[in-house]
Amino acid sequence: MGMLAGSFYDEQELLSQLKAGNKMAFARLYELHSRPLYLNLLKLLKTEQGAEEMLQSIFFILWEKRETIKINHSIRGYLFRIAENKVHDFFRKLKRDRKLYNHIMEITCREYEDVEIKFLHREETALLNKAIENLPPQRKEVFYLCKVEGK
């Protein structure tokens, strides 16, 4: 009997071969499910590299957990559920990191404002500019983001 992509029997057959460590079964599952998964990830993550990396990690999980996998409905559904969880985790982490990034920028900008106020009160703008020029490149960039771009 030929392997039809949509057939439940073939899915179960592929799954049992995968559980036994059959690399051909794994390759066939990749062939069947990677494109729709990738397109879905691309829609959610908006970058090809991000979608590609996450796709690889989803199939890595499938291979790593092959012996203990429990799939009640379809392999496709199982893979999409892993993808959904990974995307959710990704955005949660990004939000956390963004909060941290914003917090650091806020503190740093406040520090620069304090320094600037002290200098401006003494009307020594030239000295301030000279001090800015002597900052390490990264701190100088942060300063310009704070002052010039108002971030």
Side-chain angles (χ1 to χ4, degrees), residues 105-116 139:
M105 285 301 286
E106 202 179 299
I107 288 169
T108 310
C109 287
R110 216 177 301 127
E111 280 175 12
Y112 283 124
E113 277 166 16
D114 292 346
V115 168
E116 194 177 27
R139 298 207 78 175

Side-chain angles (χ1 to χ4, degrees), residues 4-64:
L4 300 167
S7 159
F8 183 72
Y9 169 78
D10 291 331
E11 282 232 321
Q12 294 302 28
E13 184 56 37
L14 274 175
L15 190 56
S16 63
Q17 288 177 20
L18 175 74
K19 284 182 173 190
N22 182 325
K23 290 194 171 107
M24 293 295 285
F26 178 76
R28 181 73 181 129
L29 287 168
Y30 186 87
E31 193 184 308
L32 289 169
H33 300 290
S34 62
R35 182 136 181 86
L37 253 178
Y38 173 77
L39 293 173
N40 190 51
L41 289 167
L42 187 58
K43 207 164 53 186
L44 295 167
L45 299 172
K46 311 281 189 256
T47 75
E48 289 179 10
Q49 188 189 355
E52 185 62 43
E53 283 174 12
M54 198 165 287
L55 179 71
Q56 299 309 323
S57 105
I58 290 163
F59 277 93
F60 179 76
I61 288 169
L62 180 68
W63 180 254
E64 284 287 286

Side-chain angles (χ1 to χ4, degrees), residues 22 24 59 67 76 102-103 119 134:
N22 182 325
M24 293 295 285
F59 277 93
E67 290 167 18
R76 182 188 167 112
N102 289 340
H103 179 66
F119 275 102
N134 291 325

Side-chain angles (χ1 to χ4, degrees), residues 112 129 131-148:
Y112 283 124
N129 289 335
I132 293 165
E133 283 311 305
N134 291 325
L135 286 171
Q138 204 170 1
R139 298 207 78 175
K140 197 187 303 185
E141 191 182 337
V142 171
F143 180 85
Y144 281 114
L145 281 174
C146 292
K147 292 289 129 218
V148 182

Side-chain angles (χ1 to χ4, degrees), residues 122-134:
R122 288 193 254 148
E123 297 172 3
E124 292 175 343
T125 313
L127 196 56
L128 175 64
N129 289 335
K130 193 169 165 38
I132 293 165
E133 283 311 305
N134 291 325

Side-chain angles (χ1 to χ4, degrees), residues 59-95:
F59 277 93
F60 179 76
I61 288 169
L62 180 68
W63 180 254
E64 284 287 286
K65 296 187 172 181
R66 68 187 178 279
E67 290 167 18
T68 57
I69 253 169
K70 296 223 183 329
I71 295 176
N72 304 321
H73 303 294
S74 71
I75 294 171
R76 182 188 167 112
Y78 176 81
L79 292 170
F80 269 81
R81 202 163 49 254
I82 295 175
E84 203 177 290
N85 291 336
K86 287 194 88 47
V87 167
H88 186 71
D89 289 347
F90 171 79
F91 281 112
R92 219 176 29 227
K93 185 175 183 293
L94 192 69
K95 205 169 162 185

